[in-house]
Amino acid sequence: MRRSSSARRTGRNPASTILVTGILTVVAVYFLVPVYWVVIAATKTTEDLFATHGFLLGPSVHLWENLTQALTYDGGILVRWFANSMLYAGVGGLLATYFAAAGGYALAKYSFRGREAIFGLVLGGVLVPATATALPLFLLFSTLGIANTYWSVLIPSLVSPFGFFLCRIYADATVSDSLVEAARIDGAGELRIFHTVGLRAMVPALVTVFLFQLVGIWNNYFLPLTMLADESLYPVTLGLANWNAQVDRLPEFYELTTGGVLLSIVPLMVAMVVLQRFWRGGLTAGAVKG
Amino acid sequence: MRSRAAKEHGVQWSRRTALQAGLGLGAGALVGACGSGRAADPDGSVHLTYWSWLKDLQLVCDVWNAQRPDVQVEAVWIQPGPDGGYQKMFSALATGGGPDLAQVELRQTPAFLLVDGLVDTRRYGADAVLDRYEQAILGQVTFNDAVYALPQDWGPTAWFYRTDLLEEIGAEPPQTWPEWAELAREFRATDRYLDIFNPSDGSYFAALAMQAGATWFAIDDDTWVVSIDDDATLETADFFDRAVREDLVSTSLAPFSPGWFAAANEGRLGACMSASWADALIEGAAGTAGLWQVAPMPRWDGGYGSAQLGGSTTAVFSTSPHPAEATEFAIWMTTAPEAIDAQIEHSGIGWSPVPDHIGTPREQPSEFFGGQRYNEEVFVPAAEQQHPDWTWAPTTQQVFNELSDGFVRAVSGGSSLVEACRRTQTAAVEMLTDKGLNARAA
Amino acid sequence: MATTEGDAAAPQRRAAWILLAPFLVLFLGTFVAPIGYAIYQSFIRVERAGLFGEEGTTSSFAGLRNYAEAFANNEFVGSIGQMFLFGVVQVPVMIAAATVLALLLESASARWPAAFRAAYFMPYGVPGVIASVLWSFLYVPGLSPIIDVAALVGIDIDFLGPSMVLWSIANIVTWTYTGYNMLIIVAQLKAIPAEIYEAARVDGAGPLRVAGSVQLPLIRPALLLTIVFSIIGTLQIFAEPQILQQVSTAVGNEYTPNMAAFDAAFNYNDYNLAAAEAVIIALTAFALSFVFLRLTNRGQR
């Protein structure tokens, strides 16, 4: 991996530093405003939410009550929704990465008839909007009887055409042929070589694909909305949207929604901040070459 | 652009009024809906789920649950039908699942029949109670001699008005629509509006046309006969075209929106043509307590004394594994006096579906309405003066959207309401044939 | 590059297919099959005998009738036009912002770049739905501190009115994805070898010149990637308007093409029309991306 480029060394003066940092700060405020707002909002009761200014704390802090209420409402369904999201995104992401890695490696390291055709087909899949496949998939699953089950969201989550694409490119670039040959000479089977030599070399790409798929599945709204009618199967995105739909009728849903939103985004944000370097890593190494 | 259809009872709660209304209920709501689940209990009792957007419906179901340990009903809140609730229901039906019971608006029942989603309640004992329902409403859920849903509430229309504002000009509630137009002119002279005309909700215009005697949909054997351009409709449209052009009505306020409440509180609105359930909403204009009363609707030359706005049914889904028990519960929900009273008290439903029990809470005089016993004086007679042959089509929602799109265009100066009705007529026939049904213009 | 001249030996080919199989089967099942099914469904219509089809329903070949119906529907066509307008404005603005931020962060004059990077990337972790719920609170008069603050300086904003709501949605999308796109560009920037910067400095180029002549051309692949994905993303917009529909009367049920297809399927039970609309959306996304890539590839040759 290359060290960071030395654009920094091309000139630096206090005036431009202040200007640039100033701009960056204003932009940062824009990105952080909603987060700041929800932290404040989650400390307020519904009354205070309307009565007090949105950017300032109210007369009393109800953060603990709101969060507890959000976690225990309806038998703790928010926790259930979190668990569902983790199932769909975690298990789905892991398996999707594994399958994409296997497929990408196969395409990179072996030459056989139909190889480029398959690559082109999958590439086409990258360009197709996922929502265009969700509706017909719903009809297909309904006929098979698995709509409105965990499988209906899990199965589509196991496929990552973009991951396949990334893994092929990465495997091409980093899995050294000589290592593979050496392992063959040593008598290792092809599958064994994939799991020991291939996967190990592809780790940065695997992490990128996993994170990409994880975030993609976690954020997906259209697919579970189409597939699921049973509230206990909802991921947290669908569940919170449901709570938000009730604020007009029952005022305590304001507290539930702000509390629930806060609980759902804090871990995600922390994860993003911590994991952002993996994004850079995987993407630099070959994926974005022309 | 399709506007948001009115929620149940045409509610467009402003957040503040919801706040005032809801805070009084406190923790009661938290007892409400739990997650769904449909298995029969291990002890052999039947467990039914009931999808509805009525408030606190579980409290009503609990009245039943206490008496019937063998059939337990669980209410699950979903979004109001036009706001996503029907999508959920259709989606669930498509998977072969879904609840046992659901709240389906009167005007939406034919759409559910298109997907064979509802059970004929006559197969499970509804015959015994059919003659108790308001017959005009029952007709809207009866097709081919089968009754596919049981009416749960509806909304006979009348004319809510500000006694103080009418007194100021020395006027009486108008008996005919031309008299109404005169009154509206006098109001405009004092820089107020008598009432609004909301172009984005087709159901209000449908009620006006219904009162004038229009029959938009009729059934001829297996063919739908569409006449949204019949004489009664076009005359009504023309009347309101002139009202809008003369600026006799406000077209920018949606009923019971924050802007509407502001106008009402400030005395800039003289009246409100709406259904019986609007009483609860008008009471949200807290500053005007004691200043309202209810009068019968102004009449057209022919037609009927009143019309209807909104209304729901309790429907049993065809995918339910317990249609008999579900129908039994639905019959109780819609005919038992205790059920009706409970729904009025907890869920704020509209007019009772059985004329012989309007609901104990509704037999009292109302302070907000100047001590008038308006339910008995105005709405009971209004309920009896209904169009007896009104039918909805499987594409009602689509037709309303088309109509309101045209109305919005008309009101912003592009064309006229009459033109919109004509266009909707053509489109409506097409919508039905697009669905593979037989349809023709009248 | 693959090693062998000619095809691999038989046991290796077998291994290749075994490795490929799970992905391929799932891909065929969850991409190819549904699209195929949608295409099939889009050429069918349902005939109903009786008032509601209670006397039998038959499926028959419909030719292009569903497609004609889709294009005759003003709302659907309007929604596609709306997304074009949206895309033509929002995508360049977002990518330009992402590029500028990337360049600023990577420039010599930036302090605490890691902290800023983290702040900008963080919204990507917020699902679009949740972001919409958050921003919907910030758009509603009576709840929104932004409207309050603007009112203090005499500006009256209506985020949810018919003329503004499209851009309010654009704001949510921009807020969520700018940081992510920026990171892709930053990654590409970091791949620029130090020698090039040295050469530029020797030539006397200032930071702006370096940005224009050196950095921008070299981050082209990243820009292409982000733009193509943004185009595809624009055609798929669903969650943001659906959430805002609850607070704004300006957002109808068919505001975006995806909402229209969803509406046709689940509100009107017209799965055939919905299938036709889904195919139209997929083809449009495919065509736009293809054309875009072609145009930019040609420039590169």
Side-chain angles (χ1 to χ4, degrees):
Chain A
M1 202 79 63
R2 291 193 182 276
R3 305 274 298 295
S4 61
S5 72
S6 40
R8 301 252 163 79
R9 290 193 228 117
T10 57
R12 173 177 209 158
N13 68 65
S16 74
T17 308
I18 295 177
L19 180 66
V20 168
T21 313
I23 298 176
L24 291 177
T25 312
V26 168
V27 172
V29 166
Y30 165 71
F31 283 113
L32 293 174
V33 152
V35 179
Y36 171 73
W37 179 85
V38 80
V39 170
I40 300 279
T43 66
K44 296 182 181 168
T45 62
T46 310
E47 272 173 314
D48 284 343
L49 206 55
F50 283 95
T52 59
H53 193 279
F55 286 140
L56 304 170
L57 282 175
S60 50
V61 172
H62 290 260
L63 185 62
W64 183 251
E65 289 92 336
N66 285 349
L67 293 182
T68 330
Q69 194 186 51
L71 284 170
T72 53
Y73 182 77
D74 199 7
I77 198 156
L78 185 66
V79 179
R80 174 87 189 243
W81 290 337
F82 264 113
N84 289 341
S85 281
M86 292 211 283
L87 172 70
Y88 296 135
V91 171
L94 274 175
L95 287 176
T97 309
Y98 180 66
F99 295 146
Y105 174 87
L107 240 51
K109 294 284 116 190
Y110 301 96
S111 164
F112 52 89
R113 247 190 339 185
R115 181 175 74 164
E116 293 310 319
I118 292 179
F119 192 63
L121 183 65
V122 175
L123 212 53
V126 173
L127 296 180
V128 169
T131 45
T133 54
L135 275 174
L137 209 51
F138 168 75
L139 290 176
L140 278 176
F141 282 174
S142 293
T143 351
L144 292 174
I146 54 173
N148 197 26
T149 61
Y150 278 110
W151 295 113
S152 61
V153 177
L154 207 47
I155 292 179
S157 305
L158 297 176
V159 183
S160 173
F162 184 63
F164 183 85
F165 166 71
L166 267 186
C167 284
R168 192 243 167 117
I169 300 214
Y170 203 77
D172 252 342
T174 59
V175 179
S176 120
D177 295 325
S178 41
L179 265 182
V180 171
E181 274 306 320
R184 276 199 196 118
I185 293 171
D186 276 350
E190 296 300 321
L191 294 185
R192 184 82 169 289
I193 298 176
F194 164 65
H195 285 100
T196 50
V197 177
L199 280 186
R200 197 168 300 155
M202 290 166 67
V203 162
L206 294 184
V207 173
T208 306
V209 172
F210 174 68
L211 291 177
F212 188 82
Q213 194 67 357
L214 181 85
V215 173
I217 301 172
W218 190 283
N219 291 0
N220 200 341
Y221 178 68
F222 195 78
L223 180 70
L225 179 72
T226 317
M227 293 291 179
L228 302 176
D230 192 344
E231 203 187 32
S232 57
L233 301 174
Y234 282 1
V236 74
T237 46
L238 212 49
L240 283 176
N242 217 27
W243 278 2
N244 186 51
Q246 300 188 49
V247 293
D248 262 354
R249 328 217 119 235
L250 297 172
E252 67 265 19
F253 273 98
Y254 279 109
E255 295 157 11
L256 285 172
T257 306
T258 50
V261 166
L262 185 61
L263 284 171
S264 76
I265 66 175
V266 164
L268 290 176
M269 281 164 26
V270 167
M272 285 302 111
V273 168
V274 162
L275 298 170
Q276 45 142 332
R277 54 202 181 92
F278 287 109
W279 246 272
R280 289 191 282 120
L283 286 170
T284 342
V288 289
K289 290 204 174 77
Chain B
M1 204 78 60
R2 178 178 166 184
S3 65
R4 279 178 75 203
K7 298 182 195 177
E8 166 68 323
H9 310 313
V11 173
Q12 288 238 350
W13 288 92
S14 77
R15 286 189 154 79
R16 290 211 160 87
T17 51
L19 191 53
Q20 288 157 20
L23 281 179
L25 297 176
L30 278 177
V31 175
C34 304
S36 55
R38 304 175 61 214
D41 279 345
D43 59 7
S45 67
V46 168
H47 181 214
L48 303 174
T49 47
Y50 182 1
W51 286 9
S52 159
W53 58 92
L54 288 176
K55 200 169 48 157
D56 285 339
L57 194 60
Q58 189 63 54
L59 295 178
V60 178
C61 298
D62 286 340
V63 176
W64 163 280
N65 287 341
Q67 306 164 14
R68 293 293 300 267
D70 57 324
V71 179
Q72 294 286 291
V73 180
E74 183 194 345
V76 177
W77 187 87
I78 58 168
Q79 285 108 321
D83 292 343
Y86 291 138
Q87 278 174 353
K88 273 212 173 72
M89 292 184 203
F90 284 128
S91 170
L93 280 171
T95 66
D100 300 281
L101 296 140
Q103 177 183 1
V104 175
E105 288 166 297
L106 285 162
R107 68 189 195 195
Q108 194 72 359
T109 25
F112 276 84
L113 292 176
L114 265 189
V115 295
D116 198 19
L118 305 179
V119 152
D120 175 9
T121 55
R122 294 186 65 184
R123 293 174 53 198
Y124 298 102
D127 272 345
V129 293
L130 286 185
D131 54 3
R132 294 190 56 198
Y133 292 107
E134 184 67 56
Q135 293 303 301
I137 306 305
L138 191 63
Q140 294 175 20
V141 293
T142 309
F143 297 97
N144 294 334
D145 271 340
V147 175
Y148 286 105
L150 297 177
Q152 183 183 27
D153 70 344
W154 57 296
T157 53
W159 204 67
F160 296 85
Y161 68 99
R162 289 284 297 269
T163 48
D164 58 331
L165 297 181
L166 257 67
E167 245 175 69
E168 243 178 73
I169 11 181
E172 291 286 313
Q175 310 239 325
T176 67
W177 282 103
E179 275 177 42
W180 174 94
E182 257 317 300
L183 186 59
R185 278 183 203 108
E186 291 175 43
F187 259 75
R188 288 309 286 132
T190 66
D191 198 29
R192 299 183 170 115
Y193 278 109
L194 181 59
D195 202 342
I196 64 172
F197 181 84
N198 180 21
S200 29
D201 184 350
S203 60
Y204 276 85
F205 182 75
L208 292 163
M210 193 193 300
Q211 193 206 9
T215 307
W216 285 1
F217 300 105
I219 297 174
D220 177 14
D221 197 22
D222 67 344
T223 306
W224 291 93
V225 182
V226 186
S227 58
I228 301 178
D229 57 354
D230 62 10
D231 289 336
T233 311
L234 292 185
E235 275 164 29
T236 312
D238 185 55
F239 180 88
F240 281 96
D241 259 331
R242 284 179 281 132
V244 167
R245 266 199 297 272
E246 250 191 82
D247 190 33
L248 297 181
V249 282
S250 164
T251 52
S252 56
L253 297 173
F256 317 118
S257 61
W260 188 94
F261 279 110
N265 276 321
E266 291 163 25
R268 286 184 281 120
L269 268 185
C272 177
M273 189 291 285
S274 192
S276 62
W277 39 258
D279 56 358
L281 293 166
I282 294 179
E283 285 172 20
T288 59
L291 300 175
W292 292 83
Q293 283 215 347
V294 191
M297 272 178 80
R299 295 195 60 147
W300 304 102
D301 225 354
Y304 305 94
S306 175
Q308 338 146 9
L309 204 53
S312 299
T313 68
T314 306
V316 177
F317 275 5
S318 55
T319 49
S320 165
H322 308 291
E325 291 87 345
T327 308
E328 211 188 322
F329 172 76
I331 291 175
W332 176 85
M333 266 292 272
T334 54
T335 58
E338 54 187 1
I340 296 175
D341 283 346
Q343 287 173 73
I344 294 176
E345 188 191 329
H346 299 296
S347 314
I349 61 165
W351 197 251
S352 158
V354 290
D356 58 11
H357 184 85
I358 65 168
T360 329
R362 296 200 165 130
E363 290 162 4
Q364 311 303 319
S366 159
E367 233 182 86
F368 190 91
F369 290 93
Q372 188 191 18
R373 301 174 82 109
Y374 61 91
N375 282 311
E376 291 166 311
E377 282 172 23
V378 180
F379 284 113
V380 168
E384 292 164 13
Q385 296 169 43
Q386 295 292 324
H387 189 315
D389 301 317
W390 187 266
T391 307
W392 299 105
T395 51
T396 304
Q397 195 53 59
Q398 256 174 305
V399 168
F400 275 0
N401 293 345
E402 184 75 29
L403 197 63
S404 63
D405 283 346
F407 278 6
V408 167
R409 266 195 300 267
V411 151
S412 50
S415 65
S416 68
L417 301 173
V418 170
E419 186 53 41
C421 290
R422 289 219 171 87
R423 285 235 181 99
T424 307
Q425 163 72 10
T426 326
V429 177
E430 241 177 75
M431 286 173 200
L432 287 165
T433 50
D434 274 342
K435 289 240 175 329
L437 298 168
N438 297 323
R440 62 178 166 87
Chain C
M1 291 302 127
T3 52
T4 57
E5 317 126 350
D7 275 4
Q12 290 184 5
R13 269 206 310 277
R14 205 177 333 121
W17 282 104
I18 294 178
L19 285 173
L20 201 47
F23 179 84
L24 209 54
V25 165
L26 284 168
F27 179 78
L28 289 173
T30 60
F31 270 82
V32 178
I35 295 183
Y37 190 60
I39 296 179
Y40 165 72
Q41 283 272 0
S42 71
F43 287 114
I44 299 231
R45 63 186 302 266
V46 173
E47 296 283 346
R48 296 183 153 99
L51 266 188
F52 301 103
E54 69 276 19
E55 282 164 35
T57 56
T58 47
S59 303
S60 58
F61 183 68
L64 290 176
R65 190 166 160 169
N66 287 317
Y67 290 93
E69 201 185 319
F71 283 117
N73 179 356
N74 290 329
E75 298 295 320
F76 180 66
V77 175
S79 73
I80 297 185
Q82 193 129 275
M83 285 303 102
F84 266 114
L85 173 63
F86 184 95
V88 154
V89 175
Q90 192 266 343
V91 173
V93 165
M94 177 173 67
I95 302 297
T99 310
V100 166
L101 288 176
L103 289 173
L104 285 178
L105 275 180
E106 287 298 298
S107 77
S109 323
R111 302 288 298 276
W112 318 299
F116 282 119
R117 245 196 335 260
Y120 301 162
F121 187 61
M122 176 228 25
Y124 179 63
V126 177
V129 185
I130 309 290
S132 306
V133 169
L134 262 182
W135 278 100
S136 76
F137 282 111
L138 291 175
Y139 288 152
V140 169
L143 275 179
S144 164
I146 300 181
I147 297 186
D148 289 342
V149 164
L152 282 179
V153 288
I155 310 178
D156 198 16
I157 321 179
D158 179 18
F159 287 114
L160 302 172
S163 47
M164 262 219 76
V165 76
L166 188 65
W167 309 115
S168 302
I169 297 175
N171 173 55
I172 300 177
V173 175
T174 309
W175 181 83
T176 314
Y177 293 105
T178 301
Y180 170 72
N181 288 313
M182 180 202 74
L183 219 62
I184 295 183
I185 298 174
V186 163
Q188 183 87 91
L189 274 178
K190 285 195 184 299
I192 297 178
E195 299 83 59
I196 301 194
Y197 287 112
E198 285 297 324
R201 198 157 53 98
V202 161
D203 278 351
L208 280 178
R209 186 78 182 291
V210 168
S213 330
V214 174
Q215 293 175 306
L216 276 183
L218 287 176
I219 59 174
R220 221 177 117 94
L223 287 180
L224 291 186
L225 191 75
T226 55
I227 292 180
V228 168
F229 279 150
S230 298
I231 292 176
I232 299 178
T234 301
L235 276 168
Q236 296 197 65
I237 292 183
F238 180 85
E240 291 83 356
Q242 210 202 35
I243 299 291
L244 283 193
Q245 197 181 25
Q246 292 166 17
V247 294
S248 166
T249 53
V251 179
N253 269 15
E254 301 189 5
Y255 199 70
T256 69
N258 257 342
M259 289 174 79
F262 191 78
D263 200 41
F266 293 125
N267 258 340
Y268 301 140
N269 289 305
D270 195 342
Y271 292 105
N272 304 105
L273 180 63
E277 290 178 349
V279 169
I280 294 175
I281 296 173
L283 283 178
T284 313
F286 197 82
L288 282 176
S289 315
F290 193 70
V291 164
F292 182 76
L293 284 174
R294 255 307 166 77
L295 281 177
T296 48
N297 259 345
R298 210 162 0 114
Q300 202 173 30
R301 289 275 169 264

